[in-house]
Amino acid sequence: MMSIKLPLWLRLISLVGIAVLAIGAGLLGYRYYTRPVTLTVAAGSVDGEAVKAMSTIASRLVSTNAAVRLKVIDTGTTLDAAKAFSEGSVDLAVVRGDVGDLSQAQAVVVVSHMVLLIIAPPGSTIDSMDKLKGRRIGVVAGAANARIVDVLSKEYGLDRAKTFKDIDLPDARRAIQSKEVAALLVVIPLAEKYLSLVRSFFQQGPKALPVLIAIESAGAIAQADRAYESFDVPKGTLRGAPPVPDDDLTTLRTSLYLVARKKLGSDLIATLTQTIMSVRRDLLTEQPIFAQIAAPSTDPDAYLAVHPGAAAFYNGTQQSFMDEYGNWIYLTPMILGGMASVLAAAWKFLGIGQPETVQGPLDSLYALARRIRKVDTEAELSDIEDEIDGILREQRSRAARGDETAVDEATLNVAAHRLENLIHDRRTLLATRPAIHTAA
């Protein structure tokens, strides 16, 4: 079967089309692999500050052109944020260590530390947990603080139903002033914004000193429930002069984490962690609470395990240049070699720079043999004999001039003799065919 050679212009257009498709596919692949990855994060708090904080971080990630972006989902409360995370509807969440199901959670950063404060109004005789028996304690954000209430009830023998009453944040001041409750239980970061809010619940004045109640069994509670740790509230935290408390006061503390699902890639979370920690100082101007952003415990037996990607950042074990790009360095020569082969094939396909195949005298003679077998007239045979004579004359002339490319005479004679026999046989065959008369 004869091969069909496409015209040069058609081969060129085909090659350009293939190149355009390859470049387009490469660009699409590059955009796919370099596009920012957006993670959903659930956040919620009774004062809305958790959502504002995460929105600030999300905006900072956009302004720094980070490889990771955040889509903040306002769940209303910390409990609902933990629920959304446990249900798998979000990638990240801002949750307290003592709220919700965290079995699929791994820590990225500690957003803040949440400190338990039990506060009685100025002039109250309640100065210890034992004196709270038979009294009513208002619990701000009761759903989120259900676990800590259970812990205190068990440790101090308090009747949970009779001692603790859930109070909405807007009703806290009214409840304490109307003596509906004898004390308030709040769990807050020790940041000025939240301390000012707590002060506003109570009577103000030079001698109006709220009473902070110590959790003397904080150490034992922390050993029994690792979501908590014993913590000393510094002297003068709630009020400076005169100081409230008047000395360091023992209580409980839990942490507010940004957590990630275990299935998220290490490189992705390492990038997120690095970006958050690097912009932490800038965030302070917008949200002072970010002063408390810190690395979670990387100990293997930590209460909430740190995500491997975050751990790699904190421990300085992120992949080095060779670790990350070693495969590319190894594969690049192979890829370039493959591209060179493709280009060579394309060059050959176009036929650029390739000399046209020149048909030699023997090729011409062999081609005549095929023609002889197909001729139908004496005239065609005569024409072929003339072509044979022309080829023979040209080759003898080259040989006489000393042209090294000339075919030797013996080879030419053999080929010519074979053709003469074919011509003779064809003439004999044509002579035996009956004549064909055409109608006038």
Side-chain angles (χ1 to χ4, degrees), residues 77-91:
T77 66
T78 302
L79 187 61
D80 289 335
K83 182 178 180 181
F85 183 85
S86 64
E87 291 174 348
S89 58
V90 293
D91 303 306

Side-chain angles (χ1 to χ4, degrees), residues 227-413:
Y228 303 103
E229 60 180 324
S230 179
F231 176 74
D232 290 337
V233 179
K235 175 182 177 180
T237 294
L238 191 59
R239 179 169 174 169
V244 177
D246 56 6
D247 199 357
D248 291 353
L249 182 110
T250 302
T251 187
L252 291 171
R253 184 175 77 170
T254 189
S255 296
L256 187 68
Y257 296 96
L258 174 63
V259 297
R261 303 192 68 78
K262 294 179 179 179
K263 67 179 183 180
L264 293 179
S266 295
D267 291 342
L268 185 65
I269 298 303
T271 301
L272 174 63
T273 306
Q274 181 177 8
T275 305
I276 291 176
M277 298 304 286
S278 64
V279 302
R280 174 177 52 176
R281 182 176 301 175
D282 297 334
L283 293 171
L284 293 177
T285 59
E286 301 179 45
Q287 294 283 344
I289 193 176
F290 288 132
Q292 298 187 28
I293 287 182
S297 173
T298 57
D299 292 339
D301 61 345
Y303 169 69
L304 188 58
V306 66
H307 193 283
F313 170 73
Y314 295 128
N315 295 330
T317 57
Q318 287 176 280
Q319 288 185 324
S320 65
F321 177 83
M322 288 303 298
D323 293 332
E324 187 170 0
Y325 298 104
N327 288 337
W328 283 108
I329 294 173
Y330 173 75
L331 292 174
T332 296
M334 299 176 63
I335 295 173
L336 292 178
M339 293 176 63
S341 299
V342 171
L343 290 175
W347 192 263
K348 183 177 180 180
F349 174 74
L350 289 175
I352 299 175
Q354 298 180 4
E356 293 292 334
T357 302
V358 179
Q359 192 175 36
L362 292 179
D363 294 328
S364 299
L365 291 175
Y366 294 147
L368 289 175
R370 291 190 293 271
R371 287 174 55 192
I372 291 170
R373 295 187 183 94
K374 297 179 180 180
V375 299
D376 294 319
T377 64
E378 176 66 27
E380 289 180 275
L381 289 175
S382 298
D383 291 339
I384 291 174
E385 286 179 326
D386 291 340
E387 291 183 35
I388 295 172
D389 292 340
I391 292 173
L392 295 176
R393 281 196 304 270
E394 181 184 359
Q395 292 304 308
R396 291 192 181 101
S397 175
R398 287 187 177 184
R401 295 195 305 267
D403 189 343
E404 295 181 355
T405 62
V407 180
D408 64 276
E409 187 173 353
T411 302
L412 287 173
N413 287 337

Side-chain angles (χ1 to χ4, degrees), residues 106-190:
Q106 291 181 320
V108 178
V109 297
V110 173
V111 178
S112 179
H113 293 293
M114 309 289 288
V115 178
L116 167 64
L117 298 179
I118 299 180
I119 314 167
S124 174
T125 59
I126 303 172
D127 57 5
S128 68
M129 291 297 296
D130 289 335
K131 291 185 178 181
L132 285 171
K133 293 180 179 179
R135 306 293 185 94
R136 200 72 160 159
I137 303 173
V139 182
V140 179
N145 292 316
R147 181 169 171 177
I148 204 167
V149 166
D150 288 339
V151 166
L152 293 175
S153 299
K154 181 179 178 180
E155 180 65 26
Y156 290 100
L158 301 174
D159 186 324
R160 190 190 194 288
K162 294 181 179 180
T163 303
F164 297 96
K165 178 182 180 179
D166 293 349
I167 298 291
D168 292 334
L169 180 63
D171 297 330
R173 179 181 175 85
R174 178 196 56 76
I176 200 72
Q177 291 184 349
S178 65
K179 298 184 180 181
E180 180 181 338
V181 295
L184 288 178
L185 184 154
V186 295
V187 181
I188 61 170
L190 294 187

